[in-house]
Amino acid sequence: MSLSAARRTTPQPAAAPSERIASLDVLRGVAILGTLATNIWIFTDPGGFLGYLAEDTASTTPAGWAGVEAVLQQLSQGKFLGLLSLVFGIGLEIQRRSALRAGRRWPGRYPVRAALLFLDGVVHYLLVVEFDVLMGYAVTGAVVAYVLATSERAQRTWMVAAAAVHVLLLGLVTAALTAVPAQPAPGVVEPNPYADGSWWDLVLLRVDDALLFRFEPVFIQASSVALFLLGAWLLRAGVLGPDGVGLRRRLLVVGALALPVDLALGVFGGTAGLVLARYGTAPLVALGLLALVVEVVGRRERLGAGGRRLAEVGRTALSSYVLQNVVASALCYGWGLGLAARLDPAVRVPATVALYALVAAVVVVSAHLWLRRSSRGPVEWLWHASYRALTRDR
């Protein structure tokens, strides 16, 4: 379909009011700090990501704390990944609308943006953490950018088809996990590269085990396409605007109904239940979370101190995401302070909560101080400068 036809068939709503753009910044901030709430348990696992995948703390965590850990992990598990995907889709639609209003073709130069994000992801994956999401988002964004140039009907078809593929894959994986008898936790891998290895040893580990570490972005590719497109549709439907009250209420109902199911699956369903919750019910909870944040922000004439700090993290989302992983790595891994291996199993759960609060505080304060003298985060500035140099966009 031609670009002119896409313009005729795709509604072009008015730009969202400034206070609703503020809600988008808050949503980004919530999503970024929410991903840390999931990943902090990986950092404090004495076996690192490999130990986390093998559930190597199951036999050493005291019974009383084990239940607390299960609930805390499940409260964040997958929800903020889903929220981040929805917000990314909203951002893509905002960029598309901005390009068309300026008379530029879409997706135009967006593939350059996606390539730079992919490069950021490669660097982040190799040098910082093996559970990076940027590479996967770059690939999904490039695909969805072209889909957004088609008609509403074509976009709905893509969204439904992608969701169906994901549900099929998720069903197959869940069935396979259900059929396989539960295995006892194998314990910490020895030698343990996270506790005893150098920073370079972890880089080599990520190279050697790239197929294992990059499995999730491939597995959720269809889901990400669907969520990106859903986020774009929600923006066009007015979810951030004053006329979106009814839509937000429906999303709140969806999230409220999905949350208890999600918690039950994750806490009591074993490995199969955890997978089904993270990739199945968690995105539904994320829809409710999105609506809740927009409602709370929209009912205020101005953001309070907490809202402003979250919005600042959202404005520096890429920098904040990288910073929180660097700080947590330095605190927990052997090349830094090595706290993960030194923590007594009896206090690992409360210590993990304390470390989350510490890292989140560092991120929030850093975003606040940086934005007092710059309009972009450092990684965003480097990314933007690279984009301008590559496209000669002055």
Side-chain angles (χ1 to χ4, degrees), residues 171-195:
L172 292 174
V173 170
T174 304
L177 290 172
T178 303
V180 175
Q183 300 295 323
V188 177
V189 177
E190 296 294 350
N192 184 356
Y194 296 94

Side-chain angles (χ1 to χ4, degrees), residues 26-37:
V26 174
L27 280 168
R28 289 193 182 101
V30 169
I32 293 299
L33 294 180
T35 60
L36 176 62

Side-chain angles (χ1 to χ4, degrees), residues 116-134:
L116 285 172
L117 183 62
F118 187 86
L119 179 59
D120 288 342
V122 171
V123 173
H124 186 242
Y125 168 78
L126 290 175
L127 304 186
V128 185
V129 291
E130 50 273 25
F131 39 90
D132 164 79
V133 301
L134 300 179

